[in-house]
mmCIF file with all atom_site columns, all heavy atoms in Angstrom:
data_model
loop_
_atom_site.group_PDB
_atom_site.id
_atom_site.type_symbol
_atom_site.label_atom_id
_atom_site.label_alt_id
_atom_site.label_comp_id
_atom_site.label_asym_id
_atom_site.label_entity_id
_atom_site.label_seq_id
_atom_site.pdbx_PDB_ins_code
_atom_site.Cartn_x
_atom_site.Cartn_y
_atom_site.Cartn_z
_atom_site.occupancy
_atom_site.B_iso_or_equiv
_atom_site.pdbx_formal_charge
_atom_site.auth_seq_id
_atom_site.auth_comp_id
_atom_site.auth_asym_id
_atom_site.auth_atom_id
_atom_site.pdbx_PDB_model_num
ATOM 1  N N   . ALA A 1 426 ? 148.293 102.539 0.095   1.00 0.00 ? 675 ALA A N   1
ATOM 2  C CA  . ALA A 1 426 ? 147.189 103.493 0.152   1.00 0.00 ? 675 ALA A CA  1
ATOM 3  C C   . ALA A 1 426 ? 146.420 103.614 -1.127  1.00 0.00 ? 675 ALA A C   1
ATOM 4  O O   . ALA A 1 426 ? 145.237 103.632 -1.183  1.00 0.00 ? 675 ALA A O   1
ATOM 5  C CB  . ALA A 1 426 ? 147.619 104.799 0.761   1.00 0.00 ? 675 ALA A CB  1
ATOM 6  N N   . LEU A 1 427 ? 147.177 103.856 -2.166  1.00 0.00 ? 676 LEU A N   1
ATOM 7  C CA  . LEU A 1 427 ? 146.548 103.996 -3.526  1.00 0.00 ? 676 LEU A CA  1
ATOM 8  C C   . LEU A 1 427 ? 145.880 102.768 -3.877  1.00 0.00 ? 676 LEU A C   1
ATOM 9  O O   . LEU A 1 427 ? 144.648 102.811 -4.467  1.00 0.00 ? 676 LEU A O   1
ATOM 10 C CB  . LEU A 1 427 ? 147.697 104.374 -4.556  1.00 0.00 ? 676 LEU A CB  1
ATOM 11 C CG  . LEU A 1 427 ? 147.250 104.483 -6.039  1.00 0.00 ? 676 LEU A CG  1
ATOM 12 C CD1 . LEU A 1 427 ? 146.152 105.555 -6.111  1.00 0.00 ? 676 LEU A CD1 1
ATOM 13 C CD2 . LEU A 1 427 ? 148.366 104.748 -6.888  1.00 0.00 ? 676 LEU A CD2 1
ATOM 14 N N   . ALA A 1 428 ? 146.377 101.558 -3.610  1.00 0.00 ? 677 ALA A N   1
ATOM 15 C CA  . ALA A 1 428 ? 145.712 100.326 -4.009  1.00 0.00 ? 677 ALA A CA  1
ATOM 16 C C   . ALA A 1 428 ? 144.347 100.239 -3.223  1.00 0.00 ? 677 ALA A C   1
ATOM 17 O O   . ALA A 1 428 ? 143.366 99.796  -3.834  1.00 0.00 ? 677 ALA A O   1
ATOM 18 C CB  . ALA A 1 428 ? 146.624 99.138  -3.736  1.00 0.00 ? 677 ALA A CB  1
ATOM 19 N N   . GLU A 1 429 ? 144.429 100.546 -1.941  1.00 0.00 ? 678 GLU A N   1
ATOM 20 C CA  . GLU A 1 429 ? 143.098 100.520 -1.159  1.00 0.00 ? 678 GLU A CA  1
ATOM 21 C C   . GLU A 1 429 ? 142.137 101.506 -1.575  1.00 0.00 ? 678 GLU A C   1
ATOM 22 O O   . GLU A 1 429 ? 140.939 101.306 -1.563  1.00 0.00 ? 678 GLU A O   1
ATOM 23 C CB  . GLU A 1 429 ? 143.530 100.722 0.365   1.00 0.00 ? 678 GLU A CB  1
ATOM 24 C CG  . GLU A 1 429 ? 142.419 100.605 1.271   1.00 0.00 ? 678 GLU A CG  1
ATOM 25 C CD  . GLU A 1 429 ? 141.802 99.163  1.296   1.00 0.00 ? 678 GLU A CD  1
ATOM 26 O OE1 . GLU A 1 429 ? 142.526 98.208  0.920   1.00 0.00 ? 678 GLU A OE1 1
ATOM 27 O OE2 . GLU A 1 429 ? 140.604 99.085  1.656   1.00 0.00 ? 678 GLU A OE2 1
ATOM 28 N N   . ILE A 1 430 ? 142.524 102.714 -1.946  1.00 0.00 ? 679 ILE A N   1
ATOM 29 C CA  . ILE A 1 430 ? 141.641 103.752 -2.455  1.00 0.00 ? 679 ILE A CA  1
ATOM 30 C C   . ILE A 1 430 ? 140.900 103.255 -3.674  1.00 0.00 ? 679 ILE A C   1
ATOM 31 O O   . ILE A 1 430 ? 139.742 103.323 -3.850  1.00 0.00 ? 679 ILE A O   1
ATOM 32 C CB  . ILE A 1 430 ? 142.390 104.998 -2.756  1.00 0.00 ? 679 ILE A CB  1
ATOM 33 C CG1 . ILE A 1 430 ? 142.804 105.730 -1.438  1.00 0.00 ? 679 ILE A CG1 1
ATOM 34 C CG2 . ILE A 1 430 ? 141.459 106.018 -3.590  1.00 0.00 ? 679 ILE A CG2 1
ATOM 35 C CD1 . ILE A 1 430 ? 143.777 106.848 -1.672  1.00 0.00 ? 679 ILE A CD1 1
ATOM 36 N N   . LYS A 1 431 ? 141.740 102.658 -4.614  1.00 0.00 ? 680 LYS A N   1
ATOM 37 C CA  . LYS A 1 431 ? 141.140 102.136 -5.862  1.00 0.00 ? 680 LYS A CA  1
ATOM 38 C C   . LYS A 1 431 ? 140.122 101.002 -5.631  1.00 0.00 ? 680 LYS A C   1
ATOM 39 O O   . LYS A 1 431 ? 139.084 100.952 -6.232  1.00 0.00 ? 680 LYS A O   1
ATOM 40 C CB  . LYS A 1 431 ? 142.233 101.649 -6.796  1.00 0.00 ? 680 LYS A CB  1
ATOM 41 C CG  . LYS A 1 431 ? 143.104 102.872 -7.245  1.00 0.00 ? 680 LYS A CG  1
ATOM 42 C CD  . LYS A 1 431 ? 144.245 102.410 -8.099  1.00 0.00 ? 680 LYS A CD  1
ATOM 43 C CE  . LYS A 1 431 ? 143.752 101.965 -9.446  1.00 0.00 ? 680 LYS A CE  1
ATOM 44 N NZ  . LYS A 1 431 ? 144.928 101.644 -10.353 1.00 0.00 ? 680 LYS A NZ  1
ATOM 45 N N   . SER A 1 432 ? 140.485 100.155 -4.575  1.00 0.00 ? 681 SER A N   1
ATOM 46 C CA  . SER A 1 432 ? 139.558 98.970  -4.204  1.00 0.00 ? 681 SER A CA  1
ATOM 47 C C   . SER A 1 432 ? 138.301 99.557  -3.612  1.00 0.00 ? 681 SER A C   1
ATOM 48 O O   . SER A 1 432 ? 137.155 99.117  -3.992  1.00 0.00 ? 681 SER A O   1
ATOM 49 C CB  . SER A 1 432 ? 140.272 98.193  -3.232  1.00 0.00 ? 681 SER A CB  1
ATOM 50 O OG  . SER A 1 432 ? 139.422 97.149  -2.702  1.00 0.00 ? 681 SER A OG  1
ATOM 51 N N   . ARG A 1 433 ? 138.381 100.667 -2.776  1.00 0.00 ? 682 ARG A N   1
ATOM 52 C CA  . ARG A 1 433 ? 137.152 101.301 -2.265  1.00 0.00 ? 682 ARG A CA  1
ATOM 53 C C   . ARG A 1 433 ? 136.338 101.877 -3.385  1.00 0.00 ? 682 ARG A C   1
ATOM 54 O O   . ARG A 1 433 ? 135.033 101.795 -3.425  1.00 0.00 ? 682 ARG A O   1
ATOM 55 C CB  . ARG A 1 433 ? 137.479 102.401 -1.292  1.00 0.00 ? 682 ARG A CB  1
ATOM 56 C CG  . ARG A 1 433 ? 138.249 101.816 -0.011  1.00 0.00 ? 682 ARG A CG  1
ATOM 57 C CD  . ARG A 1 433 ? 137.432 101.066 0.865   1.00 0.00 ? 682 ARG A CD  1
ATOM 58 N NE  . ARG A 1 433 ? 138.150 100.600 2.028   1.00 0.00 ? 682 ARG A NE  1
ATOM 59 C CZ  . ARG A 1 433 ? 138.310 101.241 3.158   1.00 0.00 ? 682 ARG A CZ  1
ATOM 60 N NH1 . ARG A 1 433 ? 137.816 102.371 3.300   1.00 0.00 ? 682 ARG A NH1 1
ATOM 61 N NH2 . ARG A 1 433 ? 138.998 100.753 4.164   1.00 0.00 ? 682 ARG A NH2 1
ATOM 62 N N   . ILE A 1 434 ? 136.958 102.614 -4.377  1.00 0.00 ? 683 ILE A N   1
ATOM 63 C CA  . ILE A 1 434 ? 136.192 103.147 -5.471  1.00 0.00 ? 683 ILE A CA  1
ATOM 64 C C   . ILE A 1 434 ? 135.511 102.076 -6.217  1.00 0.00 ? 683 ILE A C   1
ATOM 65 O O   . ILE A 1 434 ? 134.342 102.191 -6.624  1.00 0.00 ? 683 ILE A O   1
ATOM 66 C CB  . ILE A 1 434 ? 137.193 103.945 -6.321  1.00 0.00 ? 683 ILE A CB  1
ATOM 67 C CG1 . ILE A 1 434 ? 137.663 105.175 -5.662  1.00 0.00 ? 683 ILE A CG1 1
ATOM 68 C CG2 . ILE A 1 434 ? 136.436 104.273 -7.711  1.00 0.00 ? 683 ILE A CG2 1
ATOM 69 C CD1 . ILE A 1 434 ? 138.671 105.980 -6.377  1.00 0.00 ? 683 ILE A CD1 1
#
Side-chain angles (χ1 to χ4, degrees):
L676 177 59
E678 184 63 24
I679 290 167
K680 296 177 71 172
S681 176
R682 298 288 180 90
I683 289 175

